[in-house]
mmCIF file of all heavy atoms in Angstrom:
data_model
loop_
_atom_site.group_PDB
_atom_site.id
_atom_site.type_symbol
_atom_site.label_atom_id
_atom_site.label_comp_id
_atom_site.label_asym_id
_atom_site.label_seq_id
_atom_site.Cartn_x
_atom_site.Cartn_y
_atom_site.Cartn_z
ATOM 1 N N PHE A 11 -57.555 -20.551 43.715
ATOM 2 C CA PHE A 11 -58.220 -19.774 44.765
ATOM 3 C C PHE A 11 -57.991 -18.265 44.567
ATOM 4 O O PHE A 11 -58.912 -17.456 44.623
ATOM 5 C CB PHE A 11 -57.702 -20.227 46.134
ATOM 6 C CG PHE A 11 -58.212 -19.379 47.260
ATOM 7 C CD1 PHE A 11 -59.543 -19.424 47.644
ATOM 8 C CD2 PHE A 11 -57.344 -18.518 47.930
ATOM 9 C CE1 PHE A 11 -60.018 -18.629 48.672
ATOM 10 C CE2 PHE A 11 -57.818 -17.723 48.957
ATOM 11 C CZ PHE A 11 -59.154 -17.772 49.329
ATOM 12 N N VAL A 22 -61.582 -11.418 51.012
ATOM 13 C CA VAL A 22 -61.070 -12.385 51.969
ATOM 14 C C VAL A 22 -61.163 -11.720 53.334
ATOM 15 O O VAL A 22 -60.611 -10.646 53.549
ATOM 16 C CB VAL A 22 -59.610 -12.768 51.642
ATOM 17 C CG1 VAL A 22 -59.059 -13.727 52.689
ATOM 18 C CG2 VAL A 22 -59.528 -13.382 50.261
ATOM 19 N N PRO A 25 -59.236 -12.526 60.202
ATOM 20 C CA PRO A 25 -59.727 -12.893 61.537
ATOM 21 C C PRO A 25 -60.082 -11.662 62.379
ATOM 22 O O PRO A 25 -61.081 -11.662 63.091
ATOM 23 C CB PRO A 25 -58.541 -13.632 62.152
ATOM 24 C CG PRO A 25 -57.736 -14.119 60.993
ATOM 25 C CD PRO A 25 -57.946 -13.141 59.882
ATOM 26 N N TYR A 29 -63.621 -10.781 64.164
ATOM 27 C CA TYR A 29 -63.671 -10.448 65.579
ATOM 28 C C TYR A 29 -64.463 -9.147 65.801
ATOM 29 O O TYR A 29 -65.321 -9.051 66.682
ATOM 30 C CB TYR A 29 -62.239 -10.315 66.124
ATOM 31 C CG TYR A 29 -62.181 -9.864 67.562
ATOM 32 C CD1 TYR A 29 -62.549 -10.721 68.603
ATOM 33 C CD2 TYR A 29 -61.770 -8.568 67.884
ATOM 34 C CE1 TYR A 29 -62.509 -10.303 69.921
ATOM 35 C CE2 TYR A 29 -61.725 -8.135 69.201
ATOM 36 C CZ TYR A 29 -62.101 -9.007 70.222
ATOM 37 O OH TYR A 29 -62.064 -8.581 71.516
ATOM 38 N N ARG A 50 -74.079 -11.732 56.542
ATOM 39 C CA ARG A 50 -73.955 -10.436 57.230
ATOM 40 C C ARG A 50 -72.490 -10.076 57.477
ATOM 41 O O ARG A 50 -72.128 -8.901 57.426
ATOM 42 C CB ARG A 50 -74.734 -10.441 58.546
ATOM 43 C CG ARG A 50 -76.236 -10.512 58.372
ATOM 44 C CD ARG A 50 -76.796 -9.296 57.664
ATOM 45 N NE ARG A 50 -78.012 -9.631 56.917
ATOM 46 C CZ ARG A 50 -78.553 -8.863 55.983
ATOM 47 N NH1 ARG A 50 -77.987 -7.711 55.644
ATOM 48 N NH2 ARG A 50 -79.636 -9.237 55.340
ATOM 49 N N THR A 55 -68.152 -6.465 56.631
ATOM 50 C CA THR A 55 -66.744 -6.241 56.301
ATOM 51 C C THR A 55 -66.598 -5.205 55.197
ATOM 52 O O THR A 55 -65.751 -4.313 55.280
ATOM 53 C CB THR A 55 -66.088 -7.575 55.897
ATOM 54 O OG1 THR A 55 -66.242 -8.488 56.978
ATOM 55 C CG2 THR A 55 -64.607 -7.391 55.595
ATOM 56 N N GLU A 56 -67.471 -5.282 54.185
ATOM 57 C CA GLU A 56 -67.414 -4.272 53.127
ATOM 58 C C GLU A 56 -67.699 -2.881 53.684
ATOM 59 O O GLU A 56 -67.004 -1.915 53.365
ATOM 60 C CB GLU A 56 -68.409 -4.616 52.008
ATOM 61 C CG GLU A 56 -67.856 -5.680 51.077
ATOM 62 C CD GLU A 56 -68.889 -6.230 50.094
ATOM 63 O OE1 GLU A 56 -69.941 -5.581 49.887
ATOM 64 O OE2 GLU A 56 -68.638 -7.315 49.544
ATOM 65 N N MET A 81 -75.977 -3.966 56.858
ATOM 66 C CA MET A 81 -76.999 -3.876 55.804
ATOM 67 C C MET A 81 -76.372 -3.282 54.548
ATOM 68 O O MET A 81 -75.504 -2.410 54.637
ATOM 69 C CB MET A 81 -78.119 -2.910 56.218
ATOM 70 C CG MET A 81 -78.992 -3.377 57.324
ATOM 71 S SD MET A 81 -80.241 -2.093 57.666
ATOM 72 C CE MET A 81 -81.658 -2.883 56.931
ATOM 73 N N LEU A 146 -93.984 19.811 65.771
ATOM 74 C CA LEU A 146 -95.164 20.277 66.515
ATOM 75 C C LEU A 146 -94.908 20.243 68.034
ATOM 76 O O LEU A 146 -95.367 21.132 68.756
ATOM 77 C CB LEU A 146 -96.394 19.435 66.136
ATOM 78 C CG LEU A 146 -97.717 19.850 66.774
ATOM 79 C CD1 LEU A 146 -98.053 21.321 66.526
ATOM 80 C CD2 LEU A 146 -98.865 18.958 66.282
ATOM 81 N N ASN A 173 -102.606 12.533 51.345
ATOM 82 C CA ASN A 173 -101.496 12.033 50.530
ATOM 83 C C ASN A 173 -100.362 11.411 51.321
ATOM 84 O O ASN A 173 -99.219 11.403 50.876
ATOM 85 C CB ASN A 173 -100.917 13.171 49.680
ATOM 86 C CG ASN A 173 -101.233 12.948 48.219
ATOM 87 O OD1 ASN A 173 -101.319 11.804 47.768
ATOM 88 N ND2 ASN A 173 -101.410 14.024 47.490
ATOM 89 N N GLN A 184 -97.976 17.797 54.657
ATOM 90 C CA GLN A 184 -99.266 17.115 54.500
ATOM 91 C C GLN A 184 -99.780 16.587 55.841
ATOM 92 O O GLN A 184 -100.988 16.499 56.067
ATOM 93 C CB GLN A 184 -99.111 15.963 53.496
ATOM 94 C CG GLN A 184 -98.848 16.484 52.087
ATOM 95 C CD GLN A 184 -98.239 15.479 51.123
ATOM 96 O OE1 GLN A 184 -97.944 15.831 50.000
ATOM 97 N NE2 GLN A 184 -98.003 14.250 51.530
ATOM 98 N N SER A 209 -105.168 0.237 61.739
ATOM 99 C CA SER A 209 -106.349 1.071 61.499
ATOM 100 C C SER A 209 -106.333 2.262 62.456
ATOM 101 O O SER A 209 -105.664 2.230 63.493
ATOM 102 C CB SER A 209 -107.617 0.242 61.687
ATOM 103 O OG SER A 209 -107.578 -0.368 62.951
ATOM 104 N N VAL A 251 -80.983 11.068 51.193
ATOM 105 C CA VAL A 251 -79.996 10.219 51.860
ATOM 106 C C VAL A 251 -79.363 9.305 50.819
ATOM 107 O O VAL A 251 -80.069 8.633 50.068
ATOM 108 C CB VAL A 251 -80.677 9.371 52.960
ATOM 109 C CG1 VAL A 251 -79.771 8.247 53.432
ATOM 110 C CG2 VAL A 251 -81.079 10.255 54.136
ATOM 111 N N LYS A 259 -71.097 9.357 61.522
ATOM 112 C CA LYS A 259 -70.846 9.316 62.965
ATOM 113 C C LYS A 259 -70.847 10.706 63.587
ATOM 114 O O LYS A 259 -71.618 10.976 64.494
ATOM 115 C CB LYS A 259 -69.502 8.614 63.247
ATOM 116 C CG LYS A 259 -69.135 8.530 64.718
ATOM 117 C CD LYS A 259 -70.178 7.755 65.505
ATOM 118 C CE LYS A 259 -70.032 7.995 67.011
ATOM 119 N NZ LYS A 259 -71.263 7.652 67.738
ATOM 120 N N ARG A 314 -74.629 23.924 55.645
ATOM 121 C CA ARG A 314 -75.698 24.911 55.463
ATOM 122 C C ARG A 314 -75.297 25.928 54.401
ATOM 123 O O ARG A 314 -74.133 26.289 54.288
ATOM 124 C CB ARG A 314 -75.940 25.612 56.810
ATOM 125 C CG ARG A 314 -76.934 26.762 56.816
ATOM 126 C CD ARG A 314 -77.325 27.123 58.248
ATOM 127 N NE ARG A 314 -76.189 27.546 59.054
ATOM 128 C CZ ARG A 314 -75.806 28.822 59.198
ATOM 129 N NH1 ARG A 314 -76.460 29.788 58.588
ATOM 130 N NH2 ARG A 314 -74.756 29.116 59.951
#
Side-chain angles (χ1 to χ4, degrees):
F11 173 70
V22 177
Y29 175 72
R50 292 296 151 195
T55 302
E56 280 170 18
M81 291 180 105
L146 183 55
N173 249 328
Q184 292 161 183
S209 54
V251 166
K259 179 60 196 160
R314 175 166 61 93

